[in-house]
Amino acid sequence: MTHYILKRFLLMFPTLFGVAVLIFLLLRVVPGDIVEVRFMAQGQYSSEAVMAIERAKLGLDKPLWQQFTTWMWGLLHLDFGVSMWTGAPITEELKLRFELSLQLAIMATVVATLLAIPLGILAAVKQDTWIDYAVRVFSIAGLAMPSFWLGILMILAMLIIFKWLPPMVFTSFWVNPWENLAQLIWPALAVGYRYSAVATRMMRSAMLEVLREDYIRTARAKGLWLKLILSRHALKNAMLPVITVIGLEFAFLMGGLVVTEQVFSLNGLGMLFVEAISHRDYTLTQALVLIVASVFIFVNFATDIAYAWLDPRIRYR
Amino acid sequence: MAKLLEVKNLQTQFLTSAGVVRAVDGVSYDVDEGETVALVGESGCGKSVSALSIMRLVAEPAGRIVGGEIVFKGRDLLKLSEEEMRDVRGRDIAMIFQEPMTSLNPVLTIGRQLTEGLEIHLGMGPAAASARAIELLGLVGIPDPARRLAQYPHQFSGGMRQRMMVAMALGCNPALILADEPTTALDVTIQAQVLELLQDLSRRLGVAMLIITHNLGVVARYADRVNVMYAGRIIERGTAAEIYADPRHPYTLGLLRSVPRLDEPIRAKLDPIEGQPPDLSRLPPGCAFAPRCAYRVERCTEVPPLAACGAAGHMSACWVSASLAKEPVA
Ligand SMILES: Nc1ncnc2c1ncn2[C@@H]1O[C@H](COP(=O)(O)OP(=O)(O)O)[C@@H](O)[C@H]1O
Ligand SMILES: [Mg+2]
């Protein structure tokens, strides 16, 4: 078991390094660089000579390997450098946004899980009854409704019915939890509902599959009642594929909530991501990709551990 | 001896897209207290469904018990509520399944799977249940039982898992064990060991046993009485000795010729029955075995044979059974 965890843990680092190399090269292959984008934005004509000076200021004239090692050296000291576009230190810029995105992702995942697991089990146990159909319609509706649209509906409803709007400025949970939750609970509900759909379907089908297993028949032949069969014999087995889905969704939520962030006017990572890429802000994009990739890789690691925890066949390998 | 279980005219059907599958079609048999009775027949003839019907565990909603009675200790199990039935399962009647590899839960310890029945049916606390579980594992011949409790099924071999299933079945001192092909999935040497164990324990503890198998050779040593099943019906019934020495149905004769026998020197050639069992959703009007039967007469394909009882309850459902008396078994 320790061996298994250690192996998974150590595997994270080469993966992360691979991501770093890849994003570093990819950014530089994409046509246009930050200097061109900036001059274009200002509508100025600029000579090659001027652009070269600007590039030199940003260190873009150096050979690639040198740019890469400089970046890596900074990373080793947990320093992401400064944004090429604004010149502000990236670590400072990202701190609050990361906190917001992480918290939103966690809350939305909790909402999604709390919906998906009971609903999926219910639908499986009541397969092909009206309850099953109701659950399926509910979750498909979540998929069909974009969460920004649901978000707009929620905001309008609060405004019209309660004459109240959630706070606009992000307050850290550690500073003022009520203020913080009053702002984030709504996007978490909207996004969590949407993301519960896939997990619900997965829970339902995994549960149906497990309920057909021989060991469930054995449990019934022992005279156990349904609740005990579900909670003790079926749930752990059925959770395995669901955990994978929930983990992946969580990782997506960290960087992929562009429109929802706009609707709820949240300063998370999603919008920043879009801006950084359109500005060809190499340093900021690299930092963001690395953060999101780290979350993905870590979630993957956590999923592996959860698997081992649930399934002794993995634990004892 | 008193009748422990009486299955009377049991009918269990499955509604499938191909039509109504008559998996068990008017089956009657009984088991006395402490007795071992065999249910024998080729694969697909309805043996498992008949055992699952006794437990009322036929896969719903496709499968339904549509008729008959299952009288156990004087009560018709088909009339019990689901709650009352739960108390019967595992407590009065235990079941051992064919597949030791898939019939135990891979994510629960051996101890957990052994103790839960004890906790539920006998109201034992964790400590008492654990002690009893250790005793049970010892009883079925698993070495070092205390350490084994914390292990998982994948750490057990097939034979050990089946021993564990036997331990689980014996846990609450049931009156009847339904053993559905308990050794079919095991190696031949281990098959014999597990069967010996089952026989030994059932005799010693006075548990009645319904042993289901497709191998008539297996039954010889272990059963007191034998029911031969074909296409959802019992076609011959008798004591083990009668069935072996004096089969009165061509199907039984075929089964006997198709398996190696433990009571005879090894024959050079085994003789499987020609053809396939019929489609249970489209049974022929006459005897279901007629199309494969070498002794067929005209009447066989038109009128289903009546069950005729010979001496001392040796029953066979065959129009020509009388003429079979002279046939050599091997
Ligand atoms: N869940 C089910 N759905 C449809 N048909 C079934 C089901 N279970 C069993 N049957 C049918 O019932 C018949 C008897 O099956 P079974 O009792 O398992 O045979 P066996 O004698 O090998 O144990 C088979 O023909 C099978 O097709
Ligand atoms: Mg079977």
Side-chain angles (χ1 to χ4, degrees):
Chain A
M1 182 66 182
T2 341
H3 178 77
Y4 173 86
I5 294 181
L6 198 68
K7 203 172 92 188
R8 299 284 142 157
F9 183 75
L10 291 177
L11 261 178
M12 298 203 299
F13 294 97
T15 319
L16 211 50
F17 183 75
V19 171
V21 173
L22 206 64
I23 186 58
F24 181 86
L25 293 177
L26 267 180
L27 273 176
R28 283 158 178 81
V29 169
V30 176
D33 68 5
I34 183 162
V35 180
E36 283 174 33
V37 173
R38 175 170 292 154
F39 278 120
M40 222 130 63
Q42 291 165 356
Q44 291 173 329
Y45 169 78
S46 46
S47 68
E48 276 301 320
V50 177
M51 302 226 293
I53 294 169
E54 285 296 317
R55 287 197 179 107
K57 273 192 204 159
L58 295 170
L60 291 174
D61 56 338
K62 304 230 173 65
L64 281 186
W65 66 267
Q66 212 174 337
Q67 294 182 35
F68 187 74
T69 39
T70 313
W71 179 42
M72 280 292 125
W73 186 246
L75 278 186
L76 282 183
H77 301 85
L78 292 178
D79 178 12
F80 285 110
V82 295
S83 158
M84 286 186 174
W85 188 263
T86 63
I90 291 175
T91 314
E92 283 304 305
E93 168 82 33
L94 289 189
K95 238 188 217 157
L96 262 193
R97 288 174 181 268
F98 180 75
E99 190 184 329
L100 186 151
S101 281
L102 183 67
Q103 193 193 342
L104 183 55
I106 291 174
M107 285 171 65
T109 304
V110 169
V111 170
T113 310
L114 287 183
L115 282 174
I117 291 181
L119 286 182
I121 294 174
L122 190 68
V125 173
K126 304 278 180 196
Q127 188 193 8
D128 292 333
T129 64
W130 68 268
I131 297 178
D132 183 21
Y133 294 125
V135 168
R136 283 153 78 178
V137 167
F138 176 76
S139 70
I140 287 177
L143 262 191
M145 248 186 296
S147 43
F148 68 85
W149 185 71
L150 193 62
I152 292 173
L153 281 189
M154 283 164 101
I155 291 182
L156 283 180
M158 284 186 274
L159 194 60
I160 293 165
I161 302 172
F162 300 108
K163 312 265 181 270
W164 179 81
L165 266 186
M168 289 292 173
V169 180
F170 179 61
T171 324
S172 170
F173 182 80
W174 314 111
V175 175
N176 184 344
W178 290 120
E179 190 79 3
N180 168 284
L181 289 180
Q183 184 191 20
L184 289 190
I185 190 74
W186 313 108
L189 283 174
V191 175
Y193 172 39
R194 177 176 176 73
Y195 274 76
S196 75
V198 179
T200 306
R201 293 177 70 100
M202 186 57 97
M203 186 75 227
R204 177 180 177 275
S205 65
M207 200 66 180
L208 280 176
E209 204 165 302
V210 167
L211 288 178
R212 276 193 291 270
E213 294 282 350
D214 286 348
Y215 53 79
I216 296 297
R217 194 182 53 188
T218 308
R220 296 182 63 200
K222 272 193 248 183
L224 305 191
W225 55 89
L226 183 68
K227 246 171 49 197
L228 195 60
I229 292 176
L230 289 178
S231 62
R232 186 183 286 167
H233 284 264
L235 189 59
K236 254 181 148 187
N237 286 290
M239 277 308 288
L240 292 170
V242 180
I243 283 179
T244 308
V245 168
I246 290 177
L248 276 180
E249 289 184 341
F250 174 79
F252 269 113
L253 290 175
M254 278 304 289
L257 286 183
V258 181
V259 189
T260 310
E261 281 181 10
Q262 268 186 318
V263 169
F264 288 96
S265 55
L266 301 169
N267 290 312
L269 295 177
M271 274 306 294
L272 194 64
F273 222 127
V274 175
E275 280 168 24
I277 291 173
S278 62
H279 290 157
R280 302 290 187 279
D281 188 341
Y282 292 168
T283 44
L284 184 57
T285 310
Q286 285 168 183
L288 283 166
V289 168
L290 222 51
I291 285 176
V292 173
S294 305
V295 170
F296 259 92
I297 291 168
F298 180 77
V299 162
N300 208 20
F301 171 66
T303 309
D304 281 341
I305 291 183
Y307 259 73
W309 178 66
L310 286 172
D311 190 342
R313 285 165 296 186
I314 297 173
R315 209 181 314 152
Y316 285 88
R317 212 160 44 196
Chain B
M1 238 185 286
K3 291 267 173 276
L4 177 68
L5 174 79
E6 276 181 279
V7 176
K8 295 181 192 165
N9 197 25
L10 177 69
Q11 287 171 296
T12 307
Q13 302 179 344
F14 291 93
L15 285 173
T16 68
S17 49
V20 178
V21 176
R22 299 170 188 278
V24 175
D25 195 17
V27 156
S28 303
Y29 52 82
D30 51 61
V31 181
D32 288 343
E33 265 168 40
E35 184 193 31
T36 299
V37 171
L39 192 58
V40 190
E42 282 169 303
S43 159
C45 71
K47 306 182 298 292
S48 296
V49 172
S50 119
L52 286 172
S53 301
I54 296 173
M55 294 294 254
R56 295 219 342 232
L57 288 178
V58 180
E60 285 174 344
R64 261 180 334 127
I65 300 173
V66 294
E69 279 174 59
I70 297 172
V71 182
F72 177 79
K73 287 185 171 171
R75 285 196 299 177
D76 185 355
L77 297 185
L78 298 183
K79 295 211 172 75
L80 297 189
S81 70
E82 181 59 26
E83 282 93 85
E84 290 171 313
M85 198 56 215
R86 268 203 310 260
D87 289 337
V88 173
R89 294 185 194 126
R91 172 83 188 81
D92 297 312
I93 308 178
M95 190 153 176
I96 298 173
F97 295 98
Q98 175 172 358
E99 277 297 330
M101 291 305 173
T102 54
S103 293
L104 292 174
N105 194 325
V107 305
L108 297 179
T109 62
I110 296 294
R112 177 73 281 183
Q113 298 186 59
L114 264 174
T115 51
E116 60 184 354
L118 305 171
E119 290 171 2
I120 285 164
H121 292 304
L122 307 181
M124 286 187 179
S130 280
R132 170 83 172 134
I134 292 172
E135 181 191 332
L136 285 167
L137 285 185
L139 196 65
V140 297
I142 291 181
D144 199 1
R147 190 176 57 88
R148 291 290 187 175
L149 282 195
Q151 293 192 331
Y152 290 88
H154 74 276
Q155 294 165 296
F156 276 42
S157 69
M160 294 234 295
R161 289 188 205 195
Q162 210 57 321
R163 282 170 189 269
M164 147 75 183
M165 288 287 278
V166 174
M168 225 159 68
L170 289 172
C172 301
N173 293 317
L176 174 66
I177 291 180
L178 310 176
D180 186 2
E181 314 229 14
T183 62
T184 305
L186 304 177
D187 288 346
V188 180
T189 47
I190 298 168
Q191 282 192 11
Q193 287 172 14
V194 172
L195 283 169
E196 293 288 342
L197 175 78
L198 265 177
Q199 186 187 33
D200 175 49
L201 287 175
S202 64
R203 294 271 149 86
R204 206 140 48 95
L205 304 173
V207 189
M209 194 155 60
L210 179 70
I211 186 160
I212 294 176
T213 174
H214 64 267
N215 187 340
L216 202 43
V218 161
V219 188
R221 303 264 293 268
Y222 306 102
D224 303 314
R225 286 188 299 144
V226 178
N227 296 281
V228 183
M229 198 166 171
Y230 187 77
R233 301 208 174 128
I234 306 277
I235 51 91
E236 180 161 9
R237 171 200 343 275
T239 63
E242 283 165 345
I243 297 287
Y244 277 86
D246 185 21
R248 288 305 175 89
H249 196 288
Y251 178 64
T252 314
L253 195 60
L255 280 182
L256 280 171
R257 286 174 176 169
S258 68
V259 294
R261 296 186 60 169
L262 300 169
D263 55 348
E264 278 183 6
I266 296 168
R267 269 175 295 136
K269 190 166 137 285
L270 295 178
D271 204 5
I273 307 174
E274 300 272 323
Q276 293 297 316
D279 180 348
L280 294 181
S281 61
R282 250 165 306 174
L283 286 174
C287 171
F289 186 62
R292 304 169 72 186
C293 183
Y295 303 89
R296 178 180 62 224
V297 295
E298 204 170 308
R299 184 158 52 152
C300 295
T301 53
E302 291 157 7
V303 192
L306 301 172
C309 275
H314 184 178
M315 176 284 277
S316 96
C318 177
W319 289 124
V320 299
S321 68
S323 65
L324 282 177
K326 301 171 289 287
E327 285 290 325
V329 169

